[in-house]
């Protein structure tokens, strides 16, 4: 019994190591998903957008620093650099369920100009409210999400895309509550946790690329 457990543990360790190594360079087939791109983390440095474009990206989403996080003076420069490299550019902002919608949307309107040539803004619904102090009810979180969506759309002039994590979707059923394009997240395997089709898929959250010094989140578009 001990030997069998050890063998199972060894197999699991070998698989985990293989998966980690494989995911460092894996991207979905470009013939299946012709439109692909990356998410650039807030505060990222040394991103080479021309290289990103040359390696097959056609779009990029730039993360906006959260309310209360250190300021990101290079954010607007990254928007300009990505655009000059010939990439379609959008902004993704993470929704914090522990905060009201107003200060979060105010940050977006202050940092992101209204520009209909940009990709639709994305709202990341990933962080769960379990760590909120004081605690917040699910009804309050849902209400603030709706307010946040309305405020961002009013400024941007176009509907948002909802980047919904699996745990968040399971708890709040966002895809049923809000009729917006979906962006789902799952490494390697097509995500199926939403009840309707997705538009964007984060297929690899840790892609190593010559376009950046740090791992990139790689995204594809469903045609």
């Amino acid at each position: 019994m001990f030997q069998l457990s050890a063998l199972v543990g060894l197999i699991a360790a070998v698989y985990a190591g293989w998966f980690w190594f494989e995911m460092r360079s894996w991207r979905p087939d470009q013939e299946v998903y012709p439109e692909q791109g990356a998410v650039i983390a807030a505060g990222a440095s040394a991103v080479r957008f021309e290289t990103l474009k040359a390696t097959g990206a056609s779009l990029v989403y730039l993360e906006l620093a959260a309310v209360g996080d250190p300021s990101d003076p290079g954010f607007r420069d990254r928007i300009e650099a990505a655009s000059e490299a010939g990439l379609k550019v959008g902004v993704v902002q993470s929704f914090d369920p522990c905060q009201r919608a107003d200060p979060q949307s105010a940050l977006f309107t202050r940092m992101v100009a209204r520009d209909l040539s940009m990709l639709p803004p994305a709202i990341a619904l990933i962080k769960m409210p379990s760590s909120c102090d004081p605690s917040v009810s699910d009804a309050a979180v849902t209400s603030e999400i709706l307010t946040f969506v309305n405020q961002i759309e009013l400024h941007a002039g176009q509907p948002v895309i909802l980047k919904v994590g699996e745990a968040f979707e399971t708890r709040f059923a966002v895809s049923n509550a809000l009729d917006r394009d979906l962006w789902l997240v799952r490494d390697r395997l097509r995500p199926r946790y939403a009840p309707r089709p997705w538009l964007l898929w984060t297929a690899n959250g840790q892609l190593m690329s010559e376009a950046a010094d740090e791992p990139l989140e790689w995204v594809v578009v469903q045609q």
Side-chain angles (χ1 to χ4, degrees), residues 63 67 79 111 126 138 163 169-170 176 199 219:
E63 286 187 346
V67 173
I79 290 179
M111 296 296 296
I126 306 293
D138 286 6
K163 181 183 181 183
E169 171 64 18
T170 299
N176 283 329
L199 175 66
V219 181

Side-chain angles (χ1 to χ4, degrees), residues 18-150:
W18 169 85
F19 186 80
W20 174 83
F21 182 80
E22 175 76 2
M23 291 303 289
R24 287 170 60 88
S25 60
W26 181 83
R27 298 190 299 183
D29 189 342
Q30 202 136 18
E31 291 187 1
V32 179
Y33 301 103
E35 196 167 8
Q36 305 194 12
V39 176
I40 308 301
S45 59
V47 179
R48 295 168 284 280
F49 290 104
E50 295 85 356
T51 304
L52 195 63
K53 172 78 171 177
T55 55
S58 59
L59 62 92
V60 64
Y61 268 90
L62 306 177
E63 286 187 346
L64 185 62
V67 173
D69 284 356
S71 61
D72 184 4
F75 176 74
R76 291 191 179 95
D77 290 338
R78 286 195 292 278
I79 290 179
E80 184 176 349
S83 181
E84 289 178 350
L87 295 164
K88 301 174 187 176
V89 184
V91 174
V92 55
Q93 183 177 11
S94 293
F95 173 76
D96 186 345
C98 303
Q99 299 190 47
R100 300 293 298 270
D102 290 348
Q104 299 186 71
S105 61
L107 174 65
F108 184 92
T109 57
R110 186 171 67 251
M111 296 296 296
V112 183
R114 180 186 175 100
D115 184 350
L116 295 179
S117 69
M118 293 182 68
L119 294 171
I123 295 175
L125 301 172
I126 306 293
K127 182 179 178 180
M128 300 294 287
S130 54
S131 61
C132 297
D133 185 17
S135 61
V136 294
S137 68
D138 286 6
V141 172
T142 301
S143 176
E144 292 299 317
I145 290 172
L146 182 58
T147 299
F148 189 48
V149 167
N150 289 334

Side-chain angles (χ1 to χ4, degrees), residues 2-19:
F2 175 78
Q3 290 180 335
L4 178 60
S5 298
L7 178 60
V8 170
L10 177 61
I11 293 173
V14 169
Y15 175 79
W18 169 85
F19 186 80

Side-chain angles (χ1 to χ4, degrees), residues 189-208:
L189 299 177
R190 286 170 55 92
R192 303 184 185 279
Y193 56 84
R196 55 187 177 85
W198 46 265
L199 175 66
L200 297 175
W201 165 33
T202 291
N204 188 347
Q206 292 289 313
L207 179 74
M208 298 300 296

